[in-house]
Amino acid sequence: MNTTTNKPIFGMRKASQDMRTIRGFLGDRQAQAIADGCRGEERQFFYEKLDELARIVKAMPKSYETDGQGDDAIAHLHYFTAEWDWYITEKDGDSDDQGQIQAYGMVDGWERERGYVSIKEITRAGAEVDLHWEPRSLRQVIEGNRGAA
């Protein structure tokens, strides 16, 4: 425990475990950048982010568990590119060696729609998971994005 901030101090072993948990939710470039960050001067920040993301991914609802919640469903993860945003509310089971196959949520780009998305496909297209995202309802996302257009 860091006595100055009262935050736990994480190490490389824990970071490696967390990276395995979230690996299917990251693109190759972002995963490499985070791994590099874990070896750099700001490693504590990256250790804490990995821990936070791993906890979020483990606790995320699986397919159909938020069925019927509509705008009250929680967007646990946010992915973005310059023009598109994906808000993920459910995962399709646990990540494995093949990576996450699909997830459910809302995409906001040229249009706003809900449905299934391949995490692999969007990360291969350059989408990155938002490391500063705080989970919130889709309603809050929509209301927050109204003035952005």
Side-chain angles (χ1 to χ4, degrees), residues 13 21-22 39 44 58 61 71 81 89-90 102 108 122-123 127:
R13 182 182 309 227
T21 299
I22 65 168
R39 293 185 290 275
Q44 190 61 36
K58 286 177 184 176
D71 289 349
T81 64
T89 59
E90 298 177 349
Q102 68 179 6
D108 196 356
I122 66 171
T123 57

Side-chain angles (χ1 to χ4, degrees), residues 51-102:
D51 178 65
E52 179 183 339
L53 285 170
R55 283 186 285 113
I56 288 169
V57 165
K58 286 177 184 176
M60 276 178 68
K62 293 189 173 123
S63 294
Y64 308 111
E65 288 183 356
T66 65
D67 193 28
Q69 291 183 8
D71 289 349
D72 293 324
I74 301 297
H76 298 277
L77 297 174
H78 170 232
Y79 290 83
F80 64 94
T81 64
E83 297 177 350
W84 294 82
D85 290 276
W86 293 265
Y87 302 94
I88 306 303
T89 59
E90 298 177 349
K91 63 182 178 178
D92 185 31
D94 291 323
S95 182
D96 57 22
D97 290 339
Q98 301 302 311
Q100 184 68 23
I101 296 170
Q102 68 179 6

Side-chain angles (χ1 to χ4, degrees), residues 79 81 86 88 117-128:
Y79 290 83
T81 64
W86 293 265
I88 306 303
V117 61
S118 167
I119 299 297
K120 264 188 182 182
E121 285 181 25
I122 66 171
T123 57
R124 283 183 184 154
E128 294 185 2

